[in-house]
C-alpha cells in the first residue's frame, strides 16, 4: 500500500442511476459506466472564514459521510493527513447555504490475522470525540495484498446509523491502495453491499492510493456501480495543509472558549458530557496548532455549533430560550452553580455568556485574517488547482447538489 497525503477526501459526481450492479469480484474487467469527472472550480475566490452559513434555501437534510480507511503499514502519511485535514473537510461541507448538520463516521480496516479486521466509529456530529479516536489510529501491519475491503464496505453500508431523510446527502469514501478479497466472508460481496447502498441512497466513491493495477480496476468498478467517482492519488501527496501566523492564538482562544461550557442534566447526560470534555482535552493536548485553528473555524460556523457545545449546554440553552435557569433541578445543575444563590447563579451564567461572546468575536476576526492569508497563498500557488482539496470541493458541490445543497461558487477550506 503506497503512502498518501490526505486521507479524507470527499469526491465525487453523481452518476446515472445504476439499474443492475455489475459483477465486481473479478477485478480483471471494468464494467458499468465510467466514473465521471469532477467539475472545475476557481479555488482562490472565497476561502472559508467564520460565519459561513447563509439563509436556508433547499435541502433541509443532513450531510452524512463515512470514510472507509485502509490502516495497514504503508498508509501512515494518509492517516496523518487525515488527522490534519478532517476539520477543513467538515468546514467545506458546512459552507452549504442551509447550514446542514454534519455527521462523519469512520471504518478502519486491515485484514485477517492483524490486530483487527475492521474498527468502526459510528456517524456522529460530535467531531471532537470522533477526532479523539482518529488520533489513536496508526498504520501498522499489512505487507501483502489483498485486504479485507469487503468487510469494511459492508460495515459502512450496514452498521452505521444512517438517517432516512430523503433530503440527506449520504456518501461513503473508500480509501486504500490494495484490492479487496472476501475469502473469509464470501457472503459479503461488493455486489450486495452496493445494492444495499443504492437502496439507502448512499453514494459510494473510491480513492486509490498508488498505482497498483488490480486496485485501480476494482476501485473503478466499485465507484461506477456505487454511482460515485473514482480518484487516484499519488504517493507524493497533493493535500494543502498550511500553517498560518494566526493558528497559535486561535488555538489558545479555543481552549478558553471551550472552558465557557456549562453542562447540565441527569446522570446519563453528564456521562456523555464527560466523554466529550475528555475528548476535547485530548485534542487540545495532542493536536497541532494548525489543526486546532481549523477546528476553531469549523466551530464558528452554524453547522459547527453542535460540535462546539454538545448537548445540554446551559449557557446556550438559556440564551436560546430552550430552558429557564430557575426550572432546572438542583441536582442537574453544573457543580459550579449548585452552592450559589439564585441571583448569583444568574449572574454567573450571564458572565459566561459575555465571555463567550467576546472570545467568539476575537476568534472570528482571527479567522478572517487566517482566511485572507490562505487565499493569498492559494493565489501564489496558482490556486492549488490540482490539489486533492479542490477535487474534493468540486465533488462535494456536484454530489450534494442532487439533494438540494447549494454552495457558493468557491468555498473550499484549507
Amino acid at each position: 500500500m503506497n503512502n498518501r497525503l490526505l486521507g479524507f477526501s470527499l469526491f465525487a459526481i453523481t452518476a446515472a442511476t445504476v439499474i443492475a450492479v455489475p459483477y465486481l469480484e473479478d477485478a480483471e474487467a471494468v464494467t458499468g459506466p465510467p466514473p465521471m469527472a469532477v467539475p472545475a472550480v476557481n479555488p482562490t475566490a472565497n476561502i472559508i472564514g467564520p460565519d459561513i452559513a447563509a439563509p436556508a434555501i433547499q435541502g433541509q437534510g443532513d450531510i452524512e459521510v463515512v470514510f472507509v480507511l485502509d490502516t495497514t503499514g504503508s498508509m501512515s502519511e494518509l492517516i496523518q493527513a487525515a488527522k490534519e485535514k478532517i476539520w477543513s473537510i467538515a468546514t467545506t461541507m458546512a459552507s452549504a447555504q442551509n447550514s446542514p448538520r454534519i455527521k462523519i463516521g469512520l471504518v478502519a480496516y486491515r485484514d485477517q490475522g492483524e490486530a483487527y479486521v475492521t474498527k468502526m466509529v459510528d456517524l456522529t456530529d460530535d467531531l471532537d470525540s470522533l477526532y479523539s479516536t482518529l488520533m489513536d489510529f496508526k498504520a501498522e501491519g499489512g505487507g501483502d495484498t489483498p485486504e479485507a475491503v469487503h468487510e469494511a464496505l459492508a460495515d459502512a453500508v450496514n452498521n452505521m446509523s444512517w438517517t432516512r431523510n430523503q433530503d440527506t446527502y449520504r456518501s461513503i469514501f473508500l480509501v486504500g491502495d490494495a484490492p479487496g478479497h472476501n475469502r473469509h466472508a464470501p457472503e459479503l460481496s461488493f455486489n450486495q453491499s452496493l445494492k444495499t447502498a443504492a437502496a439507502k441512497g448512499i453514494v459510494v466513491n473510491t480513492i486509490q492510493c498508488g498505482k497498483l493495477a488490480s486496485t485501480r480496476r476494482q476501485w473503478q468498478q466499485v465507484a461506477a456501480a456505487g454511482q460515485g467517482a473514482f480518484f487516484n492519488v499519488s504517493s507524493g501527496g497533493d493535500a494543502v495543509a498550511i500553517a498560518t501566523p494566526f493558528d497559535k492564538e486561535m488555538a489558545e482562544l479555543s481552549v478558553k472558549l471551550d472552558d465557557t461550557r456549562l453542562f447540565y442534566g441527569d446522570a446519563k447526560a453528564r456521562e456523555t458530557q464527560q466523554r466529550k470534555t475528555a475528548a476535547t482535552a485530548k485534542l487540545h493536548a495532542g493536536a497541532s496548532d494548525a489543526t486546532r485553528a481549523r477546528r476553531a473555524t469549523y466551530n464558528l460556523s452554524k453547522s459547527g455549533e453542535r460540535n462546539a457545545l454538545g448537548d445540554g449546554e446551559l449557557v446556550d440553552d438559556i440564551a436560546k430560550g430552550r430552558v429557564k435557569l430557575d426550572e432546572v433541578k438542583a441536582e442537574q445543575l453544573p457543580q459550579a452553580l449548585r452552592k450559589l444563590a439564585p441571583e448569583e447563579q444568574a449572574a454567573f451564567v450571564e458572565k459566561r455568556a459575555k465571555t463567550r461572546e467576546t472570545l467568539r468575536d476575537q476568534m472570528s476576526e482571527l479567522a478572517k485574517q487566517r482566511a485572507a492569508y490562505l487565499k493569498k497563498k492559494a493565489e501564489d500557488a496558482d490556486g492549488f488547482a490540482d490539489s486533492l482539496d479542490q477535487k474534493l470541493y468540486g465533488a462535494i458541490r456536484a454530489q450534494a447538489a442532487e439533494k438540494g445543497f447549494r454552495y457558493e461558487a468557491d468555498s473550499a477550506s484549507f
Side-chain angles (χ1 to χ4, degrees), residues 66 68 107 120 151-162 172 192-198 200 202 204:
V66 172
V68 182
V107 179
M120 296 195 308
E151 288 94 325
L153 183 59
D155 277 346
V157 171
N158 298 309
N159 297 325
M160 290 283 163
S161 300
W162 300 100
I172 291 171
Q192 184 56 54
S193 291
L194 291 166
K195 287 177 182 177
T196 303
K200 292 184 176 183
I202 304 168
V204 180

Side-chain angles (χ1 to χ4, degrees), residues 2-8 72-85 139 209 234-237 239:
N2 292 326
N3 294 336
R4 172 61 219 156
L5 280 179
L6 188 86
F8 292 82
T72 51
S74 62
M75 303 295 283
S76 59
E77 289 184 76
L78 181 149
I79 293 170
Q80 182 57 40
K83 295 174 183 179
E84 291 291 326
K85 295 295 296 184
C209 304
S234 70
S235 59

Side-chain angles (χ1 to χ4, degrees), residues 21-25 150 153 188-197 225:
V21 175
Y23 183 70
L24 296 169
E25 309 313 322
H150 292 72
L153 183 59
L188 299 178
S189 71
F190 280 142
N191 295 299
Q192 184 56 54
S193 291
L194 291 166
K195 287 177 182 177
T196 303

Side-chain angles (χ1 to χ4, degrees), residues 277-310:
T277 300
T280 302
K282 179 179 175 180
L283 183 156
H284 284 306
S288 67
D289 288 343
T291 295
R292 293 194 291 156
R294 296 184 191 107
R295 170 185 176 268
T297 300
Y298 175 66
N299 283 352
L300 288 169
S301 72
K302 296 296 184 183
S303 297
E305 284 184 2
R306 285 190 60 83
N307 179 68
L309 299 176

Side-chain angles (χ1 to χ4, degrees), residues 332-379:
Q332 295 187 2
L333 285 170
Q335 288 289 345
L337 298 184
R338 292 187 183 183
K339 294 183 179 181
L340 300 180
E343 61 274 10
E344 293 175 320
Q345 292 175 348
F348 190 101
V349 171
E350 183 178 358
K351 183 178 180 180
R352 282 288 177 98
K354 289 180 178 178
T355 299
R356 180 177 298 175
E357 183 178 4
T358 298
L359 289 168
R360 283 184 63 88
D361 288 345
Q362 291 173 347
M363 290 174 63
S364 293
E365 182 56 36
L366 286 169
K368 290 176 183 177
Q369 295 177 54
R370 180 178 178 275
Y373 180 92
L374 289 171
K375 181 177 180 179
K376 180 63 166 58
K377 287 287 186 181
E379 290 170 347

Side-chain angles (χ1 to χ4, degrees), residues 67-69 71 106-110 116-120 137 152:
F67 294 98
V68 182
L69 302 174
T71 56
L106 301 174
V107 179
Y109 70 90
R110 292 182 181 171
Y116 55 84
V117 177
T118 65
K119 183 182 293 186
M120 296 195 308
F137 280 9

Side-chain angles (χ1 to χ4, degrees), residues 11-30:
F11 301 82
I13 295 301
T14 305
T17 299
V18 176
I19 297 174
V21 175
Y23 183 70
L24 296 169
E25 309 313 322
D26 178 4
E28 295 305 312
V30 177

